[in-house]
Amino acid sequence: MSVEQFMPASPARIGQGTAVEQSRAVAEVQAAIVVAQQCPRNVQAAVAEMRQSCQQKGLAERAFFRYSRGGSTVSGPSVHLARELARCWGNIQYGLAELRRDDEFGESEMQAFAWDVQTNARSSQVFIVPHKRDVKGGPKKLVDLRDIYENNANNGARRLREAIFSVLPAWFVEEAKDICTRTITNGGGKPLPQRIADAIRMFEGMGVTADRIEAKLGRDSGKWTEFDVAQLGVTYKSVQRGEVTLDEEFPERVTVADIPPAPAAADAIPGGAE
């Protein structure tokens, strides 16, 4: 008894469009390998381009993320930085695809991959994304097609980020993170007092007062450092992307005046003395 007997029968014929797409995909992979072998990356040029990119404020402000999980804050390099480093390093292919969508069970089967066609280092992960979003009160089922698409994209971006970083040299990524941190900390050459005022004004536009920011950092705005302002910039971008909420990052300060007075003894004990 052969193994083929247990395998599902393949279609006797395929459509012309499918055949063309299969041939195109095979030819594209072969061409990528040939080009990578004929035009290998120039490491010195890749490093120089990475350093130049990471010195740009526009990239540096999107290079990190923050989100809350289990009562703590998780932070690290973002998928935006990963894509830019893949471009600088060269000869890397990456992507995110929805392999299957099951509306009955409310989930999508996704794949994220990154492939260094020059060294043949490849990272690929297949994962399931439930059509749900965590909200206060428990997970909310997603029905709208755009909500499902955005939920899949957000979950897939995390896997794609890790796939790209896994095929890039660790030293290359670490140097990029350091340069981006310095770029954010430098603030484009603006004086520190001006950057502090700009940061306060940004969050006030979101409804966060200066005293809530000071409570988060643990000191008055006059004592903030360049690193403090840089972290506020990362937080601001993360709030805009929906990775973290304002209430999670800037909890309301509770003062003595906010605490209601304790009930009188006569009111607290039934049948108390009049």
Side-chain angles (χ1 to χ4, degrees), residues 19-226:
V20 171
E21 178 62 21
Q22 289 177 344
S23 300
R24 184 203 61 79
V26 172
E28 183 178 343
V29 170
Q30 292 175 341
I33 296 175
V34 171
V35 171
Q37 292 175 347
Q38 294 179 347
C39 305
R41 70 175 56 91
N42 184 323
V43 176
Q44 288 75 21
V47 171
E49 188 165 2
M50 174 270 291
R51 290 171 178 171
Q52 183 177 10
S53 294
C54 293
Q55 289 172 359
Q56 306 306 311
K57 186 179 178 183
L59 172 63
E61 289 179 340
R62 306 176 65 195
F64 302 99
F65 68 86
R66 288 171 63 89
Y67 65 89
S68 297
R69 183 175 62 189
S72 61
T73 300
V74 180
S75 61
S78 69
V79 67
H80 305 291
L81 179 61
R83 292 192 181 110
E84 179 63 15
L85 295 185
R87 184 192 69 80
C88 294
W89 190 242
N91 288 341
I92 288 184
Q93 293 189 2
Y94 59 85
L96 177 67
E98 183 178 18
L99 304 179
R100 182 179 62 89
R101 178 176 297 186
D102 192 329
D103 292 323
E104 181 180 356
F105 288 93
E107 62 184 25
S108 292
E109 184 178 0
M110 309 282 294
Q111 181 187 42
F113 74 92
W115 177 32
D116 186 331
V117 294
Q118 180 173 322
T119 63
N120 202 29
R122 181 180 175 89
S123 175
S124 178
Q125 182 181 9
V126 177
F127 54 96
I128 300 297
V129 179
H131 297 168
K132 296 179 181 179
R133 179 180 295 146
D134 291 330
V135 297
K136 290 183 178 179
K140 174 186 176 183
K141 185 177 180 180
L142 301 178
V143 179
D144 185 79
L145 293 179
R146 180 167 182 174
D147 290 338
I148 294 175
Y149 162 76
E150 292 178 348
N151 184 62
N152 288 346
N154 290 337
N155 282 274
R158 302 172 189 173
R159 273 78 171 190
L160 180 61
R161 176 190 68 216
E162 296 307 318
I164 295 175
F165 283 143
S166 67
V167 299
L168 289 173
W171 61 265
F172 189 74
V173 177
E174 290 301 318
E175 182 173 350
K177 289 162 56 178
D178 291 341
I179 296 174
C180 286
T181 300
R182 290 198 299 268
T183 301
I184 298 175
T185 304
N186 182 52
K190 288 185 180 180
L192 181 59
Q194 181 180 350
R195 287 153 52 199
I196 292 175
D198 291 343
I200 294 175
R201 184 170 59 254
M202 283 192 310
F203 283 104
E204 284 180 343
M206 290 183 167
V208 180
T209 58
D211 62 327
R212 289 176 64 183
I213 305 175
E214 291 174 343
K216 172 184 174 63
L217 297 179
R219 48 189 172 275
D220 295 337
S221 60
K223 298 180 181 179
W224 292 354
T225 65
E226 291 87 351

